[in-house]
Amino acid sequence: MTLFNFNTFTDINDWTIIDDVVMGGESNGTFSLSKNGHGKFSGKVSLENNGGFSSLHYKFNTLNTSSFSKFIIKIKGDGKDYQLRVKDKQSNNHSYKYKFSTNEKWQTIEIPFSKMSATYRGKSLDLPNFEGQQIEEVSFLISNKKAENFKLLIDSISLE
């Protein structure tokens, strides 16, 4: 099942950026379509004023994912580490994360639900890993504890 497949005609209005400015930081992320029709999450992470993250979020109505076991993301990064995060319920404060590395080439990354651990504001929680029954949000986050420019191209996000 395809959650999102980017192309030159993709409407990206439902994707939102949340940076550390919500807590006084100075990071600045943007989201646009590249000339080739890929989602382009880019910007600068700043450590000023206790900052250090930028994130891209896509929220949607509850999707039953009980017949799937993993995410498949097709991305091209910049050699930096990112996280894929999901929320099973918008009302939850926590999300489930999986950290992955990029290598400046197109990659297909498989992320088993069972490897996604619960987190809240960068802290691991003593909760079971993602059970995969439903999802209401998918997000990408960069937070490597250093000031850096970043660029992540997203081709597609699927479930398998």
Side-chain angles (χ1 to χ4, degrees), residues 106-123:
W106 282 104
Q107 298 171 266
T108 299
I109 299 176
E110 296 188 8
I111 303 170
F113 292 168
S114 62
K115 300 289 184 186
M116 300 186 80
S117 59
T119 185
Y120 178 66
R121 294 189 176 173
K123 305 278 189 226

Side-chain angles (χ1 to χ4, degrees), residues 14-52:
D14 290 334
W15 289 83
T16 58
I17 295 286
I18 299 176
D19 293 325
D20 55 27
V21 296
V22 297
M23 47 187 264
E26 297 180 9
S27 296
N28 183 24
T30 63
F31 189 59
S32 61
L33 284 178
S34 73
K35 64 182 178 191
N36 295 324
H38 299 110
K40 181 176 141 185
F41 174 40
S42 61
K44 181 178 181 176
V45 173
S46 170
L47 300 180
E48 297 300 313
N49 295 328
N50 297 315

Side-chain angles (χ1 to χ4, degrees), residues 9 13 15 22-23 30 36-37 51 54 57 65-66 75 83 96-97 105 109 112 135 141-142 144 155:
F9 304 106
N13 288 323
W15 289 83
V22 297
M23 47 187 264
T30 63
N36 295 324
S54 182
H57 299 257
T65 54
S66 59
I75 50 96
Q83 294 176 21
Y96 297 91
K97 72 172 182 175
K105 296 178 183 171
I109 299 176
I135 56 174
L141 175 127
I142 183 165
N144 295 323
D155 181 64

